[in-house]
Amino acid sequence: VSPDVRKSVWQNLSDEAKKESLFLLRFDEDDAAGLMTPRYLAIRSSITVSQALQFVRKGLQEVETVYYIYVLDQVQRLLGVVSLRDLLAAQDTAVIESIMEKDVISVLDKTDQEEVAKILETHDFLALPVVDSFNRMLGIVTFDDVIDVIREEQTEDVYKMGAMEGSADKYLETGILKLVKKRIPWLIILLILGTVSTNIVHHYGNLVLGAAFLFIFMPIITQTGGNSGNQSSTLMIRGLATGQIEFRDIGRVMLKEVIVGILLGLGTGIVILLRSYFLPPGADFMQALTVGVSLVFVVLFSTLAGALAPLLIHRLGLDPTVMSGPLMATVIDVCGLTIYFEIAKLLLHL
Amino acid sequence: VSPDVRKSVWQNLSDEAKKESLFLLRFDEDDAAGLMTPRYLAIRSSITVSQALQFVRKGLQEVETVYYIYVLDQVQRLLGVVSLRDLLAAQDTAVIESIMEKDVISVLDKTDQEEVAKILETHDFLALPVVDSFNRMLGIVTFDDVIDVIREEQTEDVYKMGAMEGSADKYLETGILKLVKKRIPWLIILLILGTVSTNIVHHYGNLVLGAAFLFIFMPIITQTGGNSGNQSSTLMIRGLATGQIEFRDIGRVMLKEVIVGILLGLGTGIVILLRSYFLPPGADFMQALTVGVSLVFVVLFSTLAGALAPLLIHRLGLDPTVMSGPLMATVIDVCGLTIYFEIAKLLLHL
């Protein structure tokens, strides 16, 4: 936007709109103050219900919602709230003081927008008042803004699970360099971590050269380990995000994942044993057994590691969404291949 | 719940609650009718604003929301809607007919709940009326139910991206067998698809035995290909889900991803070249160059394939969320390894 356009837009705003914009410009975008509107209904606690109703009917053109009326004192401090519903249900002669809800649930101007969304959602409110640290009313956040926050937050979480950091920009409007900047950091971090696997494979080099069939099944081992680990960490990340799982559930989670991991390992192990014994490129029975048994242990390990990692990362106060998925892939590659080669040594007496 | 408990709960319900439950039990859970409540305010079009306000004040204990009042005819057909705000803004003597909104946005009882969420969100309504195919009013869906739908839908999408089908159950309350049932189908499908890579690796068996360093870098090639493909498909899946990307954008998407893919490929290629030349286990220059050049092409291929797959799957009317991520991993393993071995043959004259 050119400065000229900006100037002409500004000049065409009403005085009221100018005042509102200047007020809102003082606040950050990502917290309650960034979402709020200063257009709400405020009354004094000493007036009657019928006076309040008259006031509502007069003021309703200028406000965002008429469904909550906030009760403020002379210095704008928030004393209470009355819903329009309660106002209509009350006697005309009742005083607001006697019908208002005094335990008002409000958020601070500095409260993070995701926190605001959660509070509004928990209480099924249409709007939440925003106050400063002196409990002075600044504005309201309404439910429609909160739905937008939930959607945006959802996009950012999905991006993080795909190993990308950054804001929920629209793909088609994002420039090439911004896309690369969003994507390359994690690709390179994961690449460098992943090179640990080259050292593992190199360590077992002679073993593999002595039993060439082993390297044929390497991609299967790492892939299936990665998939099962990914399932566990997805369940944990989502559980942590929605508050259904907490760190103190770690015992129950591990117990569950041990049993699930054994069953998943047996299922996939039997399938790969049959597949590699009966179908090309073909393996003899001991080779097929080696791959099958390895998969049982690799899947069990991956399932446990995939569940444990997000819980620990979360416990450390970090965000498991971006760190778990791809980090897991690396850990599982390294440990999965070690398990595989050790089981081969054991079963094939190499 | 035992039949005894169920019976005693039922007997303790009021007649009104029994009637309501029986009415709601006739509908599915996953559509508009499954979300709705029959407790709304309905008036006739011929009454005045002050009569309507009196009616609202009398009826407000029994309804879910008082903020929309629906105008029905004698056979319950939906003629219009008046918000409480409009009612308060109107003259007391005005007739409802003259102030009601006649173009009512409503949903059918059979409308899918995600569709209901989108409509309510687009219009920033507090509630939507639900009608049958004769436009007879059945109930309303309110915004708080819609927020729950958005959250649930989000969980299901996240599960699908982790290669799990099924409902958004709470992890800690889900039984072992149900968890296994949710997780094993995709694990086995992906395992069987993944075994195609065994045939590829077997095909290049003699090549690898002749240049043993090649198998050391196999996990790096497949992992980095998988990560970059995953980033592209995540961007596409999210863009398709939010409606920001459509199939007809395929040209622009491909153009963008070609350039992004080349840049990501060069970045990761240079890093792996330096890493494998200078650090243990160590590779000579031509070997490091082989791995580096391979990664440029594997990352470019993965980036394109990762972007193309969700667009094509979506075009076929299928859901890319569950199919793209892990399917991509398999395609990228198979094609990535082929690219890698072919480049090795070319550069090392094997």
mmCIF file of all heavy atoms in Angstrom, chain B residues 221-237:
data_model
loop_
_atom_site.group_PDB
_atom_site.id
_atom_site.type_symbol
_atom_site.label_atom_id
_atom_site.label_comp_id
_atom_site.label_asym_id
_atom_site.label_seq_id
_atom_site.Cartn_x
_atom_site.Cartn_y
_atom_site.Cartn_z
ATOM 1 N N ILE B 221 19.360 -40.886 1.919
ATOM 2 C CA ILE B 221 18.640 -40.570 0.680
ATOM 3 C C ILE B 221 17.131 -40.699 0.895
ATOM 4 O O ILE B 221 16.356 -39.785 0.588
ATOM 5 C CB ILE B 221 19.088 -41.525 -0.463
ATOM 6 C CG1 ILE B 221 20.579 -41.336 -0.779
ATOM 7 C CG2 ILE B 221 18.218 -41.358 -1.703
ATOM 8 C CD1 ILE B 221 20.931 -40.068 -1.505
ATOM 9 N N THR B 222 16.703 -41.838 1.462
ATOM 10 C CA THR B 222 15.266 -42.052 1.613
ATOM 11 C C THR B 222 14.673 -41.107 2.669
ATOM 12 O O THR B 222 13.574 -40.576 2.498
ATOM 13 C CB THR B 222 14.962 -43.507 2.012
ATOM 14 O OG1 THR B 222 15.731 -43.848 3.172
ATOM 15 C CG2 THR B 222 15.326 -44.460 0.900
ATOM 16 N N GLN B 223 15.438 -40.858 3.731
ATOM 17 C CA GLN B 223 14.934 -39.997 4.801
ATOM 18 C C GLN B 223 14.741 -38.547 4.339
ATOM 19 O O GLN B 223 13.698 -37.946 4.577
ATOM 20 C CB GLN B 223 15.952 -39.994 5.929
ATOM 21 C CG GLN B 223 15.400 -40.038 7.301
ATOM 22 C CD GLN B 223 16.572 -40.041 8.281
ATOM 23 O OE1 GLN B 223 17.233 -39.042 8.483
ATOM 24 N NE2 GLN B 223 16.843 -41.193 8.841
ATOM 25 N N THR B 224 15.773 -38.007 3.677
ATOM 26 C CA THR B 224 15.692 -36.611 3.256
ATOM 27 C C THR B 224 14.643 -36.445 2.152
ATOM 28 O O THR B 224 13.895 -35.468 2.136
ATOM 29 C CB THR B 224 17.067 -36.111 2.781
ATOM 30 O OG1 THR B 224 18.020 -36.421 3.787
ATOM 31 C CG2 THR B 224 17.061 -34.618 2.548
ATOM 32 N N GLY B 225 14.569 -37.423 1.264
ATOM 33 C CA GLY B 225 13.497 -37.406 0.260
ATOM 34 C C GLY B 225 12.134 -37.395 0.944
ATOM 35 O O GLY B 225 11.251 -36.600 0.609
ATOM 36 N N GLY B 226 11.974 -38.274 1.928
ATOM 37 C CA GLY B 226 10.711 -38.344 2.663
ATOM 38 C C GLY B 226 10.372 -37.034 3.346
ATOM 39 O O GLY B 226 9.237 -36.546 3.259
ATOM 40 N N ASN B 227 11.352 -36.426 4.001
ATOM 41 C CA ASN B 227 11.099 -35.168 4.706
ATOM 42 C C ASN B 227 10.682 -34.047 3.754
ATOM 43 O O ASN B 227 9.742 -33.303 4.046
ATOM 44 C CB ASN B 227 12.345 -34.728 5.473
ATOM 45 C CG ASN B 227 12.627 -35.602 6.684
ATOM 46 O OD1 ASN B 227 11.721 -36.255 7.210
ATOM 47 N ND2 ASN B 227 13.866 -35.652 7.115
ATOM 48 N N SER B 228 11.369 -33.918 2.620
ATOM 49 C CA SER B 228 11.019 -32.808 1.723
ATOM 50 C C SER B 228 9.669 -33.064 1.042
ATOM 51 O O SER B 228 8.875 -32.140 0.861
ATOM 52 C CB SER B 228 12.132 -32.549 0.702
ATOM 53 O OG SER B 228 12.474 -33.729 0.034
ATOM 54 N N GLY B 229 9.395 -34.336 0.699
ATOM 55 C CA GLY B 229 8.093 -34.656 0.116
ATOM 56 C C GLY B 229 6.964 -34.393 1.099
ATOM 57 O O GLY B 229 5.895 -33.889 0.743
ATOM 58 N N ASN B 230 7.228 -34.699 2.356
ATOM 59 C CA ASN B 230 6.257 -34.499 3.410
ATOM 60 C C ASN B 230 5.921 -33.020 3.587
ATOM 61 O O ASN B 230 4.762 -32.650 3.798
ATOM 62 C CB ASN B 230 6.841 -35.069 4.708
ATOM 63 C CG ASN B 230 5.789 -35.362 5.727
ATOM 64 O OD1 ASN B 230 4.621 -35.554 5.375
ATOM 65 N ND2 ASN B 230 6.170 -35.389 6.983
ATOM 66 N N GLN B 231 6.925 -32.158 3.485
ATOM 67 C CA GLN B 231 6.678 -30.720 3.589
ATOM 68 C C GLN B 231 5.733 -30.261 2.493
ATOM 69 O O GLN B 231 4.748 -29.567 2.746
ATOM 70 C CB GLN B 231 7.997 -29.956 3.492
ATOM 71 C CG GLN B 231 8.891 -30.125 4.703
ATOM 72 C CD GLN B 231 10.141 -29.261 4.628
ATOM 73 O OE1 GLN B 231 10.585 -28.901 3.546
ATOM 74 N NE2 GLN B 231 10.711 -28.929 5.767
ATOM 75 N N SER B 232 6.020 -30.668 1.236
ATOM 76 C CA SER B 232 5.145 -30.251 0.127
ATOM 77 C C SER B 232 3.734 -30.753 0.317
ATOM 78 O O SER B 232 2.772 -30.014 0.123
ATOM 79 C CB SER B 232 5.653 -30.796 -1.206
ATOM 80 O OG SER B 232 6.956 -30.418 -1.432
ATOM 81 N N SER B 233 3.610 -32.046 0.679
ATOM 82 C CA SER B 233 2.232 -32.553 0.756
ATOM 83 C C SER B 233 1.488 -31.937 1.932
ATOM 84 O O SER B 233 0.280 -31.701 1.832
ATOM 85 C CB SER B 233 2.169 -34.078 0.760
ATOM 86 O OG SER B 233 3.012 -34.628 1.696
ATOM 87 N N THR B 234 2.199 -31.609 3.007
ATOM 88 C CA THR B 234 1.541 -30.921 4.124
ATOM 89 C C THR B 234 0.979 -29.574 3.667
ATOM 90 O O THR B 234 -0.173 -29.239 3.972
ATOM 91 C CB THR B 234 2.534 -30.705 5.274
ATOM 92 O OG1 THR B 234 3.033 -31.971 5.696
ATOM 93 C CG2 THR B 234 1.873 -30.023 6.452
ATOM 94 N N LEU B 235 1.773 -28.820 2.912
ATOM 95 C CA LEU B 235 1.296 -27.524 2.418
ATOM 96 C C LEU B 235 0.071 -27.687 1.516
ATOM 97 O O LEU B 235 -0.877 -26.917 1.601
ATOM 98 C CB LEU B 235 2.419 -26.808 1.650
ATOM 99 C CG LEU B 235 3.557 -26.228 2.500
ATOM 100 C CD1 LEU B 235 4.708 -25.784 1.622
ATOM 101 C CD2 LEU B 235 3.049 -25.052 3.341
ATOM 102 N N MET B 236 0.096 -28.717 0.657
ATOM 103 C CA MET B 236 -1.035 -28.939 -0.254
ATOM 104 C C MET B 236 -2.286 -29.399 0.493
ATOM 105 O O MET B 236 -3.379 -28.907 0.252
ATOM 106 C CB MET B 236 -0.679 -30.016 -1.300
ATOM 107 C CG MET B 236 0.389 -29.621 -2.280
ATOM 108 S SD MET B 236 0.024 -28.078 -3.135
ATOM 109 C CE MET B 236 1.415 -27.103 -2.608
ATOM 110 N N ILE B 237 -2.101 -30.364 1.405
ATOM 111 C CA ILE B 237 -3.249 -30.904 2.147
ATOM 112 C C ILE B 237 -3.954 -29.789 2.914
ATOM 113 O O ILE B 237 -5.168 -29.665 2.902
ATOM 114 C CB ILE B 237 -2.780 -32.007 3.126
ATOM 115 C CG1 ILE B 237 -2.375 -33.252 2.355
ATOM 116 C CG2 ILE B 237 -3.868 -32.346 4.137
ATOM 117 C CD1 ILE B 237 -1.669 -34.291 3.204
#
